[in-house]
Amino acid sequence: MGSKTNKTNQVGKISVRLTLVCVLLIVCLISVSQLQAQGFSDKELILKTIDYKLDLKIDYENEKILGNCQLTVFNPSEQPIRHIPLTLYRLLKVTSVKDGQRVDLSFTQQVLSFEDWEQLQVNYIEVSLKNPIQQGERKTISIQYQGYLLGYSETGMRYVKDRVDEEFTIIRPDCKAYPEVGYPSWKVNRAAGLQSFNYLVNVTVPESLVVANGGKLVSRVSTNGLVTYSYRNIKPAWRIDVAIAQYGILEDKVNMLRVFHFQEDKEGARMVLDAMRKTMELFTDWFGPLRDSQGFAVIEIPEGYGSQTDVTCIIQTRSAFQSKEQLYQFYHEISHLWGVEARDPLPSRFESEGLGMFLQYLAQEKLENKKGALEKGAQRLSASFRQKCQKNPKCREVPIIDYGKEMLTDLSYSKGMILFYVLYKLVGEDEFFKIMGTFYQKYNQTGATSDDFVNHAKEVSSVDLTKFFEEWVYGTESSEYIINEIPIEEIVKKYRW
Ligand SMILES: [Zn+2]
């Protein structure tokens, strides 16, 4: 545009000057927009999401979703907050934002790359509030949005193939299908920790389809060939997943278990339901009854879409419905029902994931009569731990207690499992169940820190566990044992007096 204008100018000097001004302007504009697009990594995400109401209409004809979400945030900090930052899928556009009094709020939106993940593009929205949110205050805003879902395979998340299709549609945070408080920075969003909120989702689809969610079905209302399913979360949630297909549903009313399955996998769904029931009985026997259990759901999804777990739901790819070999995944997830919420600001998660891995193998031995499953599992995970230490020396030097802070929670699955295997051999099966069961019964209402877990185990056990926890939770001698391939039996002997 600048050069065209210049051509029409007849006075050369003015033309040169104008060109210079234009160039300067362009340079300024570029650097301003770069400034705008950058600097997110220095931000801190303060607002907490505490409540979410999501109304969704799926328009299969145009392959679009139309959403209205009522988002309630809370400001726990001393500083007043004037803007709400949101991220949404790159092809979803916000059409309006209103406050609690239905008054329009101004907002900006632009498609940006994550600063620390360039392939990941999102629609970044910044809502300006009329009055800042003061300390301890909450604020509800309504966001209307619509558009397309076409997956995120370009980011390397190949399992995110999400799109609107009558065969199968999934609404989930992986594809940013609903607005979430956040900046286009993985680091900043992660540092804010997992959110914990209540939700109510209303999803409207043609009557031939079934809407599946891990929450409690509140209502199902049909009008004019359309049906609206309403689900409310059972436990505080950190994500919302909704899957839509021509699902069949199998139920175990006693244990409040539900399986949403594709029509052709009804037999597999029966096998899954049966395995879940047996696992519930086994763990109840070991750890005592679940406190206010309100059920658990499994939702089948096509192969290649990536399995996911929420607090009361497993979203599981088809393969697990087709072979007994994969039932261990359900043992693992059901073990989390006996989990205690982590109270550390950045939890290591060894008590949940390490234990989950350990219990999945132990349940295989007990339910499937699979002898040696624990030992084999431990060997596989030791090898994986060694490999990770080779690639990243930090893995060797960081004790389990700091995995959260050091962003190494992946290792809680491998080294955490070995920790519980050693503990199991050290104290014996009965005492092991007693430690875990009493820990759950004592802390399931309040949550607990990793230190609480260690102290509780020491208190309950008849074996002196001081040295064991020093080396496995707070120290790194344990890493050396794994790296040097010391057999479990030998490791256990170090703590026997
Ligand atoms: Zn897990």
Side-chain angles (χ1 to χ4, degrees):
M1 276 267 285
S3 62
K4 225 179 185 179
T5 320
N6 292 338
K7 269 181 204 158
T8 58
N9 279 315
Q10 281 132 29
V11 187
K13 266 186 190 171
I14 293 174
S15 160
V16 169
R17 239 191 241 159
L18 262 177
T19 312
L20 261 175
V21 168
C22 282
V23 167
L24 270 173
L25 248 174
I26 288 165
V27 167
C28 280
L29 279 174
I30 288 173
S31 51
V32 165
S33 73
Q34 267 177 353
L35 274 180
Q36 273 174 348
Q38 287 173 356
F40 291 114
S41 19
D42 307 326
K43 301 248 185 208
E44 190 192 348
L45 202 54
I46 294 166
L47 288 173
K48 302 277 174 217
T49 300
I50 53 171
D51 196 77
Y52 211 112
K53 286 190 187 66
L54 183 61
D55 281 319
L56 275 181
K57 281 192 185 63
I58 314 290
D59 175 358
Y60 287 98
E61 206 176 311
N62 297 302
E63 297 178 7
K64 277 175 97 170
I65 62 170
L66 299 106
N68 183 17
C69 75
Q70 226 174 298
L71 175 69
T72 305
V73 292
F74 172 78
N75 177 9
S77 77
E78 281 177 11
Q79 97 193 55
I81 294 177
R82 290 182 171 77
H83 301 281
I84 302 181
L86 302 165
T87 59
L88 192 58
Y89 185 63
R90 60 187 158 85
L91 297 174
L92 292 174
K93 286 220 161 58
V94 173
T95 50
S96 84
V97 184
K98 292 185 195 303
D99 68 10
Q101 284 74 46
R102 304 200 152 269
V103 176
D104 275 308
L105 294 173
S106 65
F107 64 93
T108 59
Q109 61 183 331
Q110 54 180 332
V111 174
L112 291 177
S113 283
F114 261 49
E115 271 179 13
D116 41 5
W117 189 350
E118 246 181 278
Q119 299 97 323
L120 180 61
Q121 287 192 323
V122 290
N123 183 10
Y124 173 64
I125 302 124
E126 216 171 78
V127 178
S128 304
L129 297 168
K130 292 219 162 79
N131 303 306
I133 316 173
Q134 304 292 347
Q135 179 178 23
E137 267 182 14
R138 52 178 64 195
K139 178 101 197 160
T140 302
I141 58 168
S142 296
I143 305 149
Q144 231 161 352
Y145 69 101
Q146 56 168 285
Y148 305 91
L149 291 177
L150 283 171
Y152 261 138
S153 53
E154 74 270 22
T155 64
M157 294 191 284
R158 256 175 290 169
Y159 73 98
V160 188
K161 310 161 196 245
D162 309 9
R163 64 197 185 90
V164 174
D165 186 326
E166 283 197 52
E167 284 273 298
F168 175 74
T169 301
I170 188 161
I171 303 294
R172 55 178 172 178
D174 309 62
C175 199
K176 306 202 172 292
Y178 55 84
E180 281 178 289
V181 175
Y183 290 107
S185 162
W186 190 79
K187 193 188 95 189
V188 172
N189 296 343
R190 189 197 172 276
L194 284 185
Q195 302 294 302
S196 176
F197 56 85
N198 290 319
Y199 68 72
L200 173 69
V201 280
N202 306 313
V203 185
T204 305
V205 296
E207 221 164 7
S208 57
L209 298 175
V210 172
V211 177
N213 170 263
K216 189 180 161 60
L217 181 66
V218 183
S219 64
R220 182 187 176 280
V221 181
S222 300
T223 30
N224 305 328
L226 294 176
V227 58
T228 302
Y229 283 79
S230 300
Y231 284 99
R232 205 182 275 286
N233 65 304
I234 295 171
K235 287 185 181 178
W238 59 279
R239 53 182 291 140
I240 304 173
D241 294 276
V242 175
I244 307 151
Q246 278 190 0
Y247 282 120
I249 305 172
L250 284 185
E251 264 182 293
D252 171 341
K253 292 220 162 93
V254 177
N255 294 295
M256 287 189 282
L257 303 170
R258 250 175 318 149
V259 180
F260 294 89
H261 62 89
F262 296 135
Q263 299 294 343
E264 59 272 34
D265 291 325
K266 189 163 185 184
E267 211 172 301
R270 267 210 195 94
M271 173 186 75
V272 167
L273 189 66
D274 192 47
M276 291 205 300
R277 182 180 53 76
K278 284 187 180 144
T279 316
M280 297 279 289
E281 285 165 5
L282 187 69
F283 291 164
T284 304
D285 189 34
W286 289 352
F287 309 128
L290 273 181
R291 205 169 177 140
D292 21 88
S293 158
Q294 294 191 55
F296 197 78
V298 174
I299 302 171
E300 183 179 10
I301 59 172
E303 213 46 58
Y305 272 77
S307 301
Q308 287 287 347
T309 309
D310 188 5
V311 275
T312 56
C313 174
I314 308 176
I315 303 209
Q316 185 69 54
T317 52
R318 220 180 149 197
S319 57
F321 289 72
Q322 295 175 320
S323 145
K324 280 197 161 131
E325 287 300 302
Q326 297 207 29
L327 290 177
Y328 67 88
Q329 302 185 48
F330 298 104
Y331 312 152
H332 177 113
E333 299 309 339
I334 287 187
S335 81
H336 288 322
L337 293 182
W338 275 264
V340 166
E341 198 194 323
R343 296 218 70 100
D344 301 283
L346 291 169
S348 146
R349 295 171 66 211
F350 77 90
E351 314 98 299
S352 55
E353 295 308 343
L355 184 64
M357 293 301 284
F358 172 79
L359 291 174
Q360 83 179 37
Y361 294 120
L362 188 61
Q364 265 187 325
E365 290 197 359
K366 308 277 180 182
L367 294 174
E368 298 175 22
N369 231 337
K370 213 171 185 175
K371 291 201 176 70
L374 262 177
E375 186 58 39
K376 254 191 222 154
Q379 277 173 20
R380 189 175 68 78
L381 293 168
S382 297
S384 130
F385 181 76
R386 279 192 290 277
Q387 216 176 30
K388 284 186 175 144
C389 289
Q390 246 170 12
K391 277 193 198 146
N392 176 9
K394 208 172 140 189
C395 298
R396 188 175 185 155
E397 293 147 18
V398 174
I400 277 194
I401 192 81
D402 293 332
Y403 281 178
K405 276 177 243 158
E406 301 291 334
M407 295 199 195
L408 291 172
T409 49
D410 259 10
L411 295 175
S412 285
Y413 290 79
S414 53
K415 197 177 168 188
M417 183 271 165
I418 303 161
L419 177 154
F420 283 105
Y421 190 30
V422 174
L423 181 63
Y424 172 81
K425 293 249 174 189
L426 181 60
V427 300
E429 188 171 273
D430 287 345
E431 199 170 290
F432 183 84
F433 294 155
K434 189 175 154 199
I435 293 172
M436 298 307 156
T438 51
F439 178 64
Y440 168 75
Q441 303 300 342
K442 183 171 176 186
Y443 287 105
N444 70 67
Q445 296 288 77
T446 56
T449 61
S450 292
D451 289 337
D452 290 333
F453 170 72
V454 167
N455 292 331
H456 178 82
K458 280 190 196 166
E459 228 173 82
V460 172
S461 179
S462 57
V463 179
D464 183 351
L465 297 176
T466 314
K467 188 178 171 208
F468 167 75
F469 283 124
E470 264 167 26
E471 297 195 344
W472 283 85
V473 174
Y474 303 104
T476 53
E477 292 85 349
S478 44
S479 301
E480 301 308 311
Y481 302 153
I482 301 173
I483 288 164
N484 296 323
E485 301 188 41
I486 313 266
I488 296 290
E489 293 298 342
E490 289 297 309
I491 299 175
V492 171
K493 275 187 203 156
K494 294 178 192 289
Y495 314 113
R496 283 212 178 109
W497 301 91

